[in-house]
Amino acid sequence: MTPNNPLVLTPIFFPLFAAALCVFFAHFRRVQRIIGVSAAILAWLGSLSILALNWVDGLQLYRLGGYMPPYGIVLAPDMLSAIFTAMASTVVMGGAIYILGCRDKCVSYPAFMPLYLCMAAGLHGAFYTGDIFTLFVFQELMIMSSVVLVGISDNRLGVEAAIKYLLISAMGSLFLLLGIGAIYASFGTLTLADIARLLEGGERPLLAQTAAVMLMCAFLLKSAVFPFHFWQPDFHTAAPTPVHAVLSSVVVKVGVYGLIRLTMLMFIAEAPLVRTLLLVLGIIGIFFGSLGALRTYDAKRMLAYSTFGQIGFILLGIGWGTPLALIGAIVYAVNHAFIKSSLLMITGALASRMPNKSAKLIDIGGAGHSFKLMGGLYLLGGLALAGVPPMNGFISKLAIIRGGIDAQSWVLLGLAVAAGVITLMYVVRTWQHVFQSSPDEHLHLKPYGDSLIAPVMLVGLCVLFGLFAVPVVEAATIAVTRLNDPQSYIRAVLGG
């Protein structure tokens, strides 16, 4: 372990510094975009460096101001944090590249790139921080940036969707703040490692278990888990394509990350009860999301509903709680991010060629017939989402199935496998309707549209991690091994 590694700051510092720099170049759109893409690439390289250092040397640490925890704020990315941040920074970089070739009017606004970079910094910081209040601060930075980005969207429903999310997010922030307040009142500390140390000793003050409930509700809401799901389709569908790609693939994983921390680090004694609830909510989410995606009217909205189902699979892995199941949950989270972001970018690129930029199925039927590259990319991404080999989605489903077998949860495993068939149904149906049907004779597409560079890159990762899945599985295995030894995290952060 490196005692004070400045590389830990890179995924947070570069986007924030670039956001401030973009403000000075508010009237130079091209300069803003170059700055944004450069910052996203540097943050991505920094996150990969921290992942590599974690692999070899264990948890990386940076004490802000040089103060020792629990008296100072600390950034403490372990293997779990490093995996999630590498995943997030890859999608954020893809979104920044997509912005370069995006035809939406809103991406030309002076505020768009600074807000996008602030959202990225908040996302990376939420995964890296070792302090629960700093987690709240980074989440708020991420949320407020994404709310404004959706509010300025070209979609006429953007303001309505942003207001809905703002109100729901305020509820999640209230849950999180109440949980943080209860923890501080009980233990007098906000450092995750110190909280875990005190809870591990069996101490359970009056407000401790109340804090666990509040934190669980906050994380479930952030992940749009049933019954906290109702805001997500409107908010995500109205978002600009590069923002939607980040929101629906990695922003929802902040709640997943929080649930893993809750059950594997802090409230280990209460974990069996929490996991039982996650199993119930997970299987409900799988069927609700799959059936909602099957019956919806909009291609982007279909993928937003699909996120419910995919998060449900991850919750099953966390809920089963065995090492194999947790490995499956982490692998699923990583692969889903690349799959979902690529599909959303492809859908957005097609919609950008429509006269009214609509992604409604009734409008885009046959619109992709002449775009063979786009159709091929969508098919590969759809097969990955459905878990068809040799795509990375197959590795995800296989990992979850192995986790279910290891947990001997045969009924839930059978239901989850059955729901996977529904995913294949709505993905293939949409592909046939959009890319295989003959276009309407009155349909006149624009001669230009959004660039396909970013989705090609992300679909390439889906193929790569399907054919060569060992690195992802090995990284998840190391993360789970270390998660099962919370004392190692506590010692690394607090010393001794």
Side-chain angles (χ1 to χ4, degrees), residues 220-412:
L220 289 174
L221 198 149
K222 298 299 181 188
S223 293
V225 176
F226 180 91
F228 304 103
H229 65 281
F230 47 89
W231 57 270
Q232 197 247 33
D234 289 342
F235 182 67
H236 286 198
T237 304
T241 297
V243 178
H244 187 186
V246 176
L247 289 174
S248 201
S249 61
V250 292
V251 168
V252 293
K253 304 292 172 47
V254 173
V256 170
Y257 172 81
L259 290 170
I260 295 175
R261 287 284 183 224
L262 191 70
T263 55
M264 297 294 291
L265 179 63
M266 293 190 290
F267 292 92
I268 296 175
E270 291 79 9
L273 181 60
V274 175
R275 286 171 178 157
T276 301
L277 180 62
L278 293 182
L279 289 174
V280 174
L281 296 180
I283 203 67
I284 292 174
I286 288 172
F287 278 94
F288 180 85
S290 299
L291 293 173
L294 188 64
R295 299 300 301 166
T296 194
Y297 59 88
D298 185 283
K300 290 181 73 175
R301 197 176 183 87
M302 178 198 76
L303 293 170
Y305 270 108
S306 171
T307 298
F308 295 155
Q310 307 309 312
I311 293 294
F313 282 103
I314 298 170
L315 292 185
L316 285 185
I318 300 172
W320 284 325
T322 66
L324 276 177
L326 287 167
I327 291 168
I330 295 171
V331 170
Y332 204 108
V334 172
N335 285 331
H336 169 258
F338 302 143
I339 297 166
K340 185 57 62 69
S341 57
S342 63
L343 285 172
L344 285 166
M345 289 179 185
I346 297 165
T347 304
L350 178 64
S352 69
R353 289 164 168 79
M354 299 294 295
N356 56 355
K357 294 188 176 180
S358 172
K360 293 181 179 179
L361 293 173
I362 194 172
D363 293 332
I364 62 174
H369 187 267
S370 58
F371 301 108
K372 302 302 181 184
L373 174 61
M374 198 182 298
L377 291 173
Y378 194 94
L379 179 61
L380 288 174
L383 293 177
L385 188 67
V388 177
M391 303 300 292
N392 63 340
F394 171 72
I395 305 300
S396 303
K397 291 285 197 303
L398 182 61
I400 288 292
I401 289 171
R402 288 185 63 194
I405 293 171
D406 189 47
Q408 297 186 353
S409 181
W410 307 112
V411 174
L412 292 180

Side-chain angles (χ1 to χ4, degrees), residues 7 42 58 93 130-131 146 152 207 219 240 255 272 275 309 316 393 395 412 423 436 456:
L7 273 176
L42 289 172
M93 181 179 65
D131 179 278
S146 59
I152 64 176
L207 294 176
F219 293 138
R275 286 171 178 157
L316 285 185
I395 305 300
L412 292 180
T423 305
Q436 297 298 299
V456 166

Side-chain angles (χ1 to χ4, degrees), residues 84 111 123 176 200 205 216 293 307 323 359 382 425 467:
F84 272 69
L123 179 62
L176 188 54
E200 191 180 46
M216 183 181 67
T307 298
M425 289 171 59
L467 296 174

